[in-house]
Amino acid sequence: VALSLPSSVQAQFVGTGPRDNFRDTSVLRPPAGSKVALIVFEDLGCPACARAHPFEMEAVKQTHVALLRYDFPLEAHVWTFEGAVCARYIQNTMGPEPADEFRGILFKSQGMIAGVDDLHRFMSSWLAKRGKKMPTVVDPGGKLAKEVSADFALGQRLNVEWTPTVVVVTRNNYQVVCGT
């Protein structure tokens, strides 16, 4: 996994890696049936997350390790909580691959989105290009918002301080690749 990341990140991985201030590291485990996973805490409005995203996706593609993505929308980015809800809507209605594509295009389009209205116009256009219609309400019961909030709470429990925070994990160990 580390070798498929950019050289600036690789240099951190092959050494001792960045220090972390993690508290509860019990969450740093691969999913059942996997020996290794790449855990990412990201914010859809974060420029550093946008730069890291293609490398993360390529690392997962090349190494076939599990990707555990957690939404960590920063308060300063006014639309990113709703962006994470939208990405989850797409994942639940269209599947994980379209959701990954949506996230990737959203990262590339950060400069065009200043607020939730822009985000909804962006999503409506993205859905229309795929023959889908924008729902009147993306998350009527608040289930998706609760999932995003749970991801954020998990990041706080771990003591994530930066986005992206990328961690390679095995059953017994972890290595911070960037962020903490």
Side-chain angles (χ1 to χ4, degrees), residues 111-152:
M112 298 180 349
I113 302 170
V116 173
D117 290 341
D118 291 341
L119 170 69
H120 286 167
R121 280 190 289 278
F122 178 88
M123 181 179 172
S124 180
S125 173
W126 187 89
L127 287 168
K129 289 176 185 171
R130 286 146 188 86
K132 305 287 182 185
K133 188 173 179 184
M134 178 78 171
T136 306
V137 179
V138 175
D139 187 21
K143 176 183 176 271
L144 302 174
K146 287 178 186 170
E147 291 174 4
V148 173
S149 293
D151 277 8
F152 188 81

Side-chain angles (χ1 to χ4, degrees), residues 62-81:
Q62 285 183 15
T63 61
H64 307 287
V65 300
L67 172 64
L68 300 176
R69 175 184 290 123
Y70 296 101
D71 288 300
F72 199 76
L74 302 173
E75 200 173 309
H77 299 150
V78 296
W79 60 266
T80 60
F81 185 93

Side-chain angles (χ1 to χ4, degrees), residues 17-39:
R19 287 185 157 214
D20 66 72
N21 293 320
F22 291 156
R23 290 185 212 135
D24 180 0
T25 59
S26 65
V27 300
L28 298 177
R29 302 285 179 271
S34 297
K35 293 181 180 181
V36 179
L38 187 66
I39 296 178

Side-chain angles (χ1 to χ4, degrees), residues 38-60:
L38 187 66
I39 296 178
V40 177
F41 286 86
E42 67 186 9
D43 172 81
L44 291 167
C46 168
C49 292
R51 287 189 301 275
H53 180 77
F55 296 108
E56 296 157 3
M57 298 307 293
E58 187 61 29
V60 168

